[in-house]
Short mmCIF file of all heavy atoms in Angstrom, two decimals:
data_model
loop_
_atom_site.label_atom_id
_atom_site.label_comp_id
_atom_site.label_asym_id
_atom_site.label_seq_id
_atom_site.Cartn_x
_atom_site.Cartn_y
_atom_site.Cartn_z
N ARG A 164 1.36 -14.71 23.25
CA ARG A 164 1.80 -14.04 24.48
C ARG A 164 0.75 -14.03 25.58
O ARG A 164 1.08 -14.10 26.75
CB ARG A 164 2.22 -12.61 24.15
CG ARG A 164 3.56 -12.56 23.44
CD ARG A 164 3.95 -11.16 23.05
NE ARG A 164 5.30 -11.13 22.51
CZ ARG A 164 5.87 -10.04 22.01
NH1 ARG A 164 5.21 -8.89 21.99
NH2 ARG A 164 7.10 -10.08 21.53
N LEU A 165 -0.52 -13.94 25.21
CA LEU A 165 -1.55 -13.79 26.27
C LEU A 165 -1.59 -14.99 27.23
O LEU A 165 -1.67 -14.74 28.44
CB LEU A 165 -2.92 -13.54 25.64
CG LEU A 165 -3.12 -12.15 25.03
CD1 LEU A 165 -4.41 -12.07 24.26
CD2 LEU A 165 -3.06 -11.07 26.10
N TYR A 211 2.07 -1.45 21.09
CA TYR A 211 2.32 -2.02 22.42
C TYR A 211 2.96 -3.41 22.32
O TYR A 211 4.07 -3.62 22.80
CB TYR A 211 1.02 -2.12 23.24
CG TYR A 211 0.30 -0.80 23.34
CD1 TYR A 211 -0.77 -0.51 22.49
CD2 TYR A 211 0.70 0.16 24.26
CE1 TYR A 211 -1.42 0.71 22.55
CE2 TYR A 211 0.05 1.39 24.34
CZ TYR A 211 -1.01 1.66 23.48
OH TYR A 211 -1.64 2.87 23.54
N CYS A 212 2.27 -4.33 21.69
CA CYS A 212 2.78 -5.70 21.65
C CYS A 212 3.77 -5.85 20.49
O CYS A 212 3.60 -6.65 19.58
CB CYS A 212 1.61 -6.69 21.54
SG CYS A 212 2.05 -8.30 22.21
N PRO A 216 7.92 -6.05 23.79
CA PRO A 216 6.63 -5.48 24.18
C PRO A 216 6.73 -4.29 25.14
O PRO A 216 7.61 -4.25 25.99
CB PRO A 216 5.90 -6.66 24.85
CG PRO A 216 6.96 -7.63 25.21
CD PRO A 216 8.09 -7.43 24.26
N ALA A 217 5.81 -3.33 24.94
CA ALA A 217 5.71 -2.18 25.83
C ALA A 217 4.43 -2.38 26.64
O ALA A 217 3.36 -1.87 26.28
CB ALA A 217 5.65 -0.90 25.00
N CYS A 218 4.55 -3.19 27.69
CA CYS A 218 3.35 -3.68 28.38
C CYS A 218 2.69 -2.66 29.31
O CYS A 218 1.49 -2.77 29.59
CB CYS A 218 3.70 -4.92 29.18
SG CYS A 218 4.38 -6.25 28.15
N CYS A 221 -0.39 -1.22 27.90
CA CYS A 221 -1.18 -2.11 27.02
C CYS A 221 -2.55 -2.38 27.63
O CYS A 221 -2.67 -2.67 28.83
CB CYS A 221 -0.43 -3.42 26.82
SG CYS A 221 -1.40 -4.62 25.91
N LEU A 223 -4.33 -4.89 27.24
CA LEU A 223 -4.56 -6.31 27.55
C LEU A 223 -3.65 -6.82 28.66
O LEU A 223 -3.56 -8.02 28.90
CB LEU A 223 -4.34 -7.16 26.28
CG LEU A 223 -5.16 -6.77 25.04
CD1 LEU A 223 -4.88 -7.74 23.90
CD2 LEU A 223 -6.64 -6.73 25.34
N LYS A 224 -2.97 -5.88 29.35
CA LYS A 224 -1.93 -6.35 30.28
C LYS A 224 -2.49 -7.17 31.46
O LYS A 224 -1.82 -8.07 31.94
CB LYS A 224 -1.08 -5.19 30.78
CG LYS A 224 -1.76 -4.24 31.71
CD LYS A 224 -0.75 -3.19 32.17
CE LYS A 224 -1.43 -2.21 33.09
NZ LYS A 224 -0.55 -1.12 33.47
N CYS A 227 -2.45 -11.05 31.05
CA CYS A 227 -1.51 -11.47 30.00
C CYS A 227 -0.31 -12.11 30.69
O CYS A 227 0.34 -11.48 31.51
CB CYS A 227 -1.05 -10.27 29.16
SG CYS A 227 0.25 -10.73 27.99
N LYS A 229 2.54 -12.82 29.53
CA LYS A 229 3.83 -12.25 29.12
C LYS A 229 4.05 -10.85 29.68
O LYS A 229 5.14 -10.29 29.55
CB LYS A 229 3.86 -12.26 27.58
CG LYS A 229 5.02 -11.61 26.91
CD LYS A 229 6.16 -12.58 26.72
CE LYS A 229 7.34 -11.90 26.03
NZ LYS A 229 8.50 -12.72 25.94
N ASN A 230 3.03 -10.27 30.30
CA ASN A 230 3.09 -8.89 30.80
C ASN A 230 4.42 -8.60 31.51
O ASN A 230 4.73 -9.20 32.52
CB ASN A 230 1.91 -8.68 31.76
CG ASN A 230 1.85 -7.27 32.30
OD1 ASN A 230 2.70 -6.43 31.98
ND2 ASN A 230 0.86 -7.01 33.12
S1 SF4 B 301 0.73 -7.05 28.07
FE1 SF4 B 301 2.62 -6.97 26.87
S2 SF4 B 301 2.89 -9.02 26.04
FE2 SF4 B 301 0.78 -8.87 26.78
S3 SF4 B 301 -0.41 -8.28 24.99
FE3 SF4 B 301 0.16 -6.39 26.04
S4 SF4 B 301 2.09 -5.70 25.13
FE4 SF4 B 301 1.76 -7.85 24.52
#
Side-chain angles (χ1 to χ4, degrees):
R164 285 177 174 176
L165 287 172
Y211 306 98
C212 205
C218 302
C221 174
L223 305 183
K224 70 177 179 185
C227 174
K229 175 88 180 174
N230 182 359

